[in-house]
Amino acid sequence: MPKTLDSLQPGQSAYVSVLNENKFTCKLMNLGIMPKTKVTMVRKSPFGGAFYIKIDNIQMAMRESEANTIFIQDIV
Amino acid sequence: MTHKTGLPVVAVLGNPNSGKSSLFNYLTGMRQDVSNFPGVTVDKKNASMVLPSGKSIQIIDFPGTYSVFPNSAEEKLVINTITNPSDPNFPDAVLYVADVTQLDRHLLFATQIRDLGFPMVLILNMVDIAETSGIKINQEVLENYLGCKVILTSVRTEKGMNEIMPALDIMLANNMRPDHTLYQLSDKENTVAAAVAAMLETTNLYRAKLIAHHVEWLSYLSPTQKDAIIKINKAEDFNDIRYQVLETMNRFGHHSPIVNKTTAKCPTSGKTWTDKIDNWITHKIWGPIIFFTIMLIVFQSIYSWAELPMEWIEQGFAMAGSFLNDHLQDSWWSDLLINGVLAGLGGVLVFVPQITILFLLIALLEESGYMSRVVYMFDSIMQHLGMNGRSMVSLISSGACAIPAIMATRTISNQKERLITILVSPLISCSARLPVYAVLIGFVVPDVKIWNVINLQGLAFMGLYLLGIIGVIVSSLFFKTILKSESTSYLMIELPNYKPPIWKNVFLLVKEKVLSFIIGAGKIILLISMILWFLASYGPGEKMQQSVVSAEKYSIENGLNDDEKSHLIASYKLESSYIGHLGKFIEPAIKPLGFDWKIGIALLTSFAAREVFVGTMATIYSVGNDSDEMTIRQKMTAEMRPGTNIKIYNPASALSLLVFYVFAMQCMSTLAITRKETNTWKWSIVQFSYMGILAYLGAFTVYHLLS
């Protein structure tokens, strides 16, 4: 099974391979998440359910259900 | 409201967080005029400006938009306007603002705007931040790619700001429209777009493609046009999302290399300021603790800083009232002016200091970027309650006033989440409940300190706020189970870099919100206070006359002085007025809560606005208008049930009344704004009823447990 962004541990980074197409895919790309982008899982939210993600010089937050539409590879 | 001025329209467009609105505020200053876009409640800020050539233009600030594929109601409005040439706000040209440090992402919408055929000037904003982070900008590359003028600016340092107006002049004079599109439509897109374009008689194929994408919700299409376009989509199997994603990928693929040539970045080294701050601010444990500390400071400052100016306003109105009283002849209209209009105005304006401070602090939290961190931290809790992390912004604002809180729900795209937020926000104790709490809390809680530090009454205040929060939790869970949702919900939010606020911008933001509160709520409160004045000044039949006679008789028999006599007359008159009758009429319904008809009157008058309670009590207990809360309380304490030795205000009835005020929807302005934001009275009625039921049951329970 290919891994998705929600499987990263805080501090880990990876590269986006494919975006699972849905209603919010364009929104993800608007926020800077594209295939080949390096994404870093910074931390998880205090009450769970959401992630603090960093891409280059952009910070963003997303839910688990949003992160699991983003397939990743080359975890570092 | 639209006004087609005949002037060329220049639209200010750009992504959220691009500094677009600050730039608009800088350019237009105090000249802006805020109205609504036709049919929706989205604010439209516009201003008339004169360009260096002497040409006049109308400049409109549109809501921040990520792309032509919208996710929120505000973004949809933008797309609905810029794809419809017959719209009164359809731009003749575009001033596009991009954050130069986020150029890759911010350029997406710019290329789409360009392909729609608009003449455009591109503003690369925040060059001061770019310089300090070592980004070098070569705007010529971008000018060649887009075929438009590119200007480097910083609103903060005012760099490049004076180049904008001359550039607009040149753009409008030349009316330079791009001769080719950057995005090449695929064969399928081309077929669909050509069919739609032929039907709508437009020449811009890209616009036709967007219309095909958004046919379901574009408001300017006729039903027949919609049917025809849906047929074209079906015949060509034009899968909406697939082609939106493809277009977006394709555009990024083209302009990303250009952006790399435009902005030469130094490799980012180590952690930025934002990273360091967020290590604490969004920390698993420290994050929520810091949040609650900030909230405590915010509300503390609202009450301590606003106290003095509120006193000034109250005294000012009292002075104006007595001045008019002395200088105007006694007549019905002078009475209406003093006790209706002036009292009503005073009731609104006294809240201006608190609301101004709250708006200022909230504007600072938003401008600095903190609010989106709150959204991130509390999203999952809010989801359990059927709301969105974005609902936190509304719930916080509700601590001052539910009106701006309800307006702030526009950023929530999911209808159900937005509706729940609108419905429950007024349960958070707003500033209008404070005077009522202040009067009543003395009956329940003694004014003592625990260990010489903690004020027991202060603790009771906190308890009432907590009760409001519990109310929010219970009701949102209730609405979560009964309401249905159609649209999907999302969090996905940018956490912008922390920036020091631009003060001029903050000032304009606060000014605009305070003015809209004064005008919006003021109109309604003024009207209601005039109606209340009528109901309290006139009564059925001869009863008013008789009450005056018997009050005079009583005063002579008991040797009252002039002041006491006029207060007694006022009190007798109120009892026999229409509203006095109404109070007696509802007495059986509120008796189980421990209330008498006098409280009934206060409950009725409080419907205009809660703070009216104190004023009404003052009139009922005939202590005059100039008395402070303590004297009213003394009068109330002495009040007995007729024919008995039982005090009306005992801890049970006072607490019951407090609970009633925590939950009850006694605010015309909130109901009006709910109607405006949901486009139907249905939700105002639901809001009024459920809060009323909550208040009644709560008060009933408390009264019977304690008595």
Side-chain angles (χ1 to χ4, degrees), chain B residues 422-696:
Chain B
I422 291 176
L423 289 175
V424 304
S425 282
L427 281 173
I428 299 280
S429 287
C430 62
S431 55
R433 283 166 171 109
L434 274 182
V436 184
Y437 290 175
V439 172
L440 289 174
I441 231 162
F443 289 105
V444 193
V445 184
D447 189 11
V448 290
K449 283 186 176 164
I450 313 173
W451 309 307
N452 275 326
V453 223
I454 303 166
N455 184 310
L456 206 59
Q457 293 193 339
L459 219 57
F461 260 106
M462 264 179 68
L464 292 173
Y465 273 98
L466 209 63
L467 195 62
I469 295 171
I470 294 170
V472 165
I473 296 172
V474 172
S475 344
S476 52
L477 286 174
F478 169 73
F479 286 119
K480 187 188 170 189
T481 50
I482 62 162
L483 292 176
K484 283 188 186 64
S485 174
E486 283 144 22
S487 53
T488 25
S489 146
Y490 72 92
L491 171 64
M492 270 185 288
I493 187 169
E494 212 177 323
L495 305 172
N497 287 324
Y498 289 109
K499 290 182 207 83
I502 298 170
W503 289 103
K504 189 177 170 186
N505 195 35
V506 171
F507 169 76
L508 276 168
L509 221 75
V510 172
K511 187 199 100 184
E512 178 203 313
K513 289 201 166 158
V514 171
L515 276 182
S516 94
F517 167 81
I518 295 176
I519 294 162
K523 273 193 293 205
I524 295 165
I525 295 183
L526 206 60
L527 182 72
I528 298 285
S529 21
M530 281 159 71
I531 294 171
L532 285 177
W533 168 84
F534 173 80
L535 291 176
S537 308
Y538 295 91
E542 298 289 297
K543 284 199 175 144
M544 291 290 269
Q545 283 306 318
Q546 290 165 12
S547 70
V548 176
V549 174
S550 57
E552 278 174 345
K553 201 176 138 201
Y554 180 91
S555 329
I556 296 165
E557 282 169 4
N558 290 279
L560 301 183
N561 66 26
D562 275 1
D563 257 12
E564 288 169 328
K565 185 180 139 191
S566 64
H567 291 154
L568 193 73
I569 291 175
S571 160
Y572 272 48
K573 273 171 88 175
L574 188 65
E575 186 177 347
S576 50
S577 67
Y578 286 114
I579 203 146
H581 283 84
L582 272 174
K584 289 198 165 145
F585 176 72
I586 65 162
E587 195 177 30
I590 55 175
K591 217 164 192 167
L593 311 180
F595 307 159
D596 66 351
W597 65 271
K598 293 182 180 178
I599 301 179
I601 295 178
L603 290 184
L604 290 173
T605 57
S606 296
F607 181 63
R610 296 172 175 97
E611 64 278 14
V612 174
F613 174 85
V614 180
T616 312
M617 281 302 183
T619 320
I620 297 173
Y621 291 110
S622 64
V623 289
N625 290 327
D626 49 348
S627 60
D628 60 22
E629 286 157 5
M630 284 312 292
T631 29
I632 299 167
R633 200 189 287 168
Q634 282 161 10
K635 289 268 179 180
M636 288 165 68
T637 314
E639 185 77 1
M640 301 284 178
R641 265 187 204 283
T644 63
N645 270 337
I646 306 165
K647 283 189 174 171
I648 297 260
Y649 294 94
N650 48 44
S653 64
L655 198 62
S656 154
L657 193 52
L658 274 172
V659 170
F660 193 89
Y661 269 89
V662 169
F663 292 134
M665 167 41 81
Q666 297 157 298
C667 182
M668 274 299 290
S669 324
T670 304
L671 290 174
I673 207 83
T674 298
R675 152 76 183 83
K676 201 173 148 207
E677 294 290 321
T678 58
N679 270 326
T680 151
W681 281 109
K682 179 183 163 193
W683 296 113
S684 307
I685 295 167
V686 168
Q687 193 171 44
F688 179 74
S689 323
Y690 100 84
M691 288 176 71
I693 293 168
L694 212 56
Y696 196 91

Side-chain angles (χ1 to χ4, degrees), chain A residues 21-32 34-35 43-52 54 56-63 66, chain B residues 66-67 71 101-102 105 108 241-242 248 252 265 274-275 278-279 282 284 376-381 383 388 488-493 495 497:
Chain A
E21 246 165 61
N22 63 48
K23 221 180 139 183
F24 297 119
T25 309
C26 284
K27 175 95 184 164
L28 276 177
M29 294 196 287
N30 292 160
L31 289 171
M34 304 275 295
R43 58 180 70 86
K44 296 182 179 178
S45 76
F47 307 101
F51 304 126
Y52 187 118
K54 200 165 160 69
D56 201 11
N57 60 345
I58 307 157
Q59 299 80 231
M60 62 174 291
M62 64 173 80
R63 287 182 188 157
E66 288 149 15
Chain B
Y66 281 108
S67 82
N71 290 101
T101 65
Q102 311 279 345
R105 296 187 305 130
L108 172 73
I241 289 166
R242 174 101 205 105
T248 308
F252 272 114
K265 253 182 268 178
T274 298
D275 291 334
D278 272 343
N279 265 343
T282 61
K284 246 185 143 69
Y376 154 72
M377 285 194 288
F378 291 94
D379 182 62
S380 71
I381 292 184
Q383 269 192 283
N388 192 292
T488 25
S489 146
Y490 72 92
L491 171 64
M492 270 185 288
I493 187 169
L495 305 172
N497 287 324

